[in-house]
Amino acid sequence: MENPLPYLEQQYCIFHGIERIGSIDPQELTPEWLLIQNNMAMAFCLNSWMFNRGLK
């Protein structure tokens, strides 16, 4: 991206994606969607960790 989003906007976008996927009936989630949800949750945590460590 040419202009990366500010930290809080990044976190909001990631959290919103997790929330949207989480609202889907678990019986209807494909393995690919579960993987995407897990990856987004890890990105959210990593972003928080980086911010707390002063890397962002």
Side-chain angles (χ1 to χ4, degrees), residues 32-47:
E32 292 83 13
W33 279 109
L34 289 171
L35 182 61
I36 291 169
Q37 183 182 32
N38 290 337
N39 287 342
M40 290 177 84
M42 285 189 283
F44 185 84
C45 292
L46 180 60
N47 232 5

Side-chain angles (χ1 to χ4, degrees), residues 19-39:
E19 181 182 49
R20 296 276 308 219
I21 294 171
S23 69
I24 299 171
D25 181 7
Q27 299 295 328
E28 296 178 16
L29 284 177
T30 63
E32 292 83 13
W33 279 109
L34 289 171
L35 182 61
I36 291 169
Q37 183 182 32
N38 290 337
N39 287 342

Side-chain angles (χ1 to χ4, degrees), residues 1-6 10 56:
M1 292 177 65
E2 291 179 19
N3 297 320
L5 293 173
Q10 289 177 27
K56 208 129 174 66

